[in-house]
Amino acid sequence: MSSASGGADPGMGGGSEEQRQRGIWILVAAALAFAVLVLPQVVEGDDKILLRGQRAPDQRSPTLPTSPGGLPSKGPTGLPSASLPGDGSGGSGGGGRPAETRAPATPAVPPDRTEEAYRAVSPGDCLAVYDAGDGQYNSGMPTPVACGAGKAFMWVSAVRSSGGACPQGAGQDYMSYTSRGRTTALCLTRKFTVGYCLLAQQTGSGQQARMNAGLMTVVDCDAKRVPVRYNRILHITGVYKAPANASAANCARVQGDRTYYWSWLVNDGRTLLCTMVYQG
């Protein structure tokens, strides 16, 4: 059975105009409340609280955000640190000033041991060097020895920059060494010792005999062979202070001595050297 109704259905909008007006007023009231109560707190200074209790940021000096809670405040360790351009520290790439270039180091000049040995010799030293019979000294290294030693064959009278500046006479000579354009000359005076032997060259015989002694030489008295430029071994029998008009007659060791002596004035004429042909 059906029925008809001429009035508006309350559930379909009957009184809807009144409800819409009421809703509009509610919205207007809410907007006014927000403008009056909330908005002033948002735009006010430092001490006003934002929504959900957040502080307003400082408008005068912005701050950097802090690290989130639970993370280390410093950066990770073990990573290479970047350097500022131009500070001269490590790293690669552009931005730094060019590296300084240095001139190559001058190679060190190795020491000359022979030159050092020559320059270490002083006047008054004695050396164990001698002429071996070939015109050359037995050693190119002038190592000093005690002047009382049996091998002290030479006495250094001076040290010069050239051999030509050394005294030249019987029993005198020099040995020199040049390195890097600098010459060191050792002026030598022979030290004669009784009992030692030296080399000589004899020419002629009898009254015509002549003896040319190698005064800077040293030889074993019992040597079976001698260098080709010599043919005699002379035995030193005496070394004396030279008297006036010294001669071989002053070499006699005993009264009536009939030994045939060969003698020389050495050491600038101050010393008489007496020898005889070695008989073995």
Side-chain angles (χ1 to χ4, degrees):
M1 185 170 156
S2 63
S3 62
S5 173
D9 187 349
M12 297 298 296
S16 61
E17 181 65 23
E18 182 180 350
Q19 292 176 355
R20 282 197 297 269
Q21 292 180 359
R22 188 182 300 117
I24 291 172
W25 283 110
I26 292 172
L27 291 176
V28 171
L32 289 173
F34 178 82
V36 172
L37 299 177
V38 179
L39 185 60
Q41 295 184 36
V42 174
V43 298
E44 284 185 3
D46 300 346
D47 298 330
K48 299 303 181 180
I49 305 300
L50 292 178
L51 299 178
R52 296 184 182 270
Q54 295 180 356
R55 289 183 63 85
D58 190 345
Q59 300 299 320
R60 292 167 296 176
S61 55
T63 58
L64 296 175
T66 59
S67 300
L71 294 180
S73 59
K74 295 183 179 179
T77 60
L79 298 179
S81 59
S83 59
L84 294 176
D87 67 353
S89 57
S92 61
R97 59 174 180 245
E100 270 186 40
T101 58
R102 296 183 180 178
T106 303
V109 178
D112 188 328
R113 302 301 183 189
T114 304
E115 181 188 28
E116 290 177 352
Y118 267 77
R119 296 186 65 80
V121 175
S122 301
D125 288 346
C126 290
L127 307 177
V129 298
Y130 59 88
D131 181 351
D134 56 0
Q136 302 294 323
Y137 286 101
N138 65 311
S139 174
M141 189 68 73
T143 305
V145 296
C147 288
K151 294 183 177 181
F153 303 118
M154 303 292 171
W155 175 72
V156 180
S157 61
V159 178
R160 299 284 186 260
S161 59
S162 70
C166 291
Q168 303 291 318
Q172 295 176 322
D173 198 8
Y174 69 90
M175 58 187 301
S176 65
Y177 183 78
T178 301
S179 177
R180 303 182 183 98
R182 181 171 58 182
T183 298
T184 304
L186 308 179
C187 305
L188 305 178
T189 296
R190 173 66 192 275
K191 280 175 55 65
F192 296 102
T193 303
V194 174
Y196 281 53
C197 289
L198 52 86
L199 294 165
Q201 173 69 42
Q202 179 180 337
T203 58
S205 59
Q207 295 297 321
Q208 302 300 317
R210 295 290 182 272
M211 194 72 72
N212 183 21
L215 296 176
M216 308 303 284
T217 64
V218 175
V219 65
D220 182 356
C221 294
D222 293 317
K224 303 303 181 183
R225 300 179 61 182
V226 297
V228 294
R229 63 191 299 183
Y230 298 105
N231 58 14
R232 290 288 184 268
I233 294 177
L234 298 181
H235 186 233
I236 300 174
T237 60
V239 180
Y240 309 111
K241 181 178 180 181
N245 302 315
S247 68
N250 299 112
C251 292
R253 289 171 286 179
V254 296
Q255 189 174 2
D257 187 356
R258 298 180 64 83
T259 304
Y260 198 92
Y261 293 101
W262 299 93
S263 66
W264 288 267
L265 288 173
V266 296
N267 191 23
D268 292 328
R270 296 189 294 270
T271 301
L272 175 64
L273 173 66
C274 297
T275 71
M276 60 176 285
V277 175
Y278 184 71
Q279 303 297 325

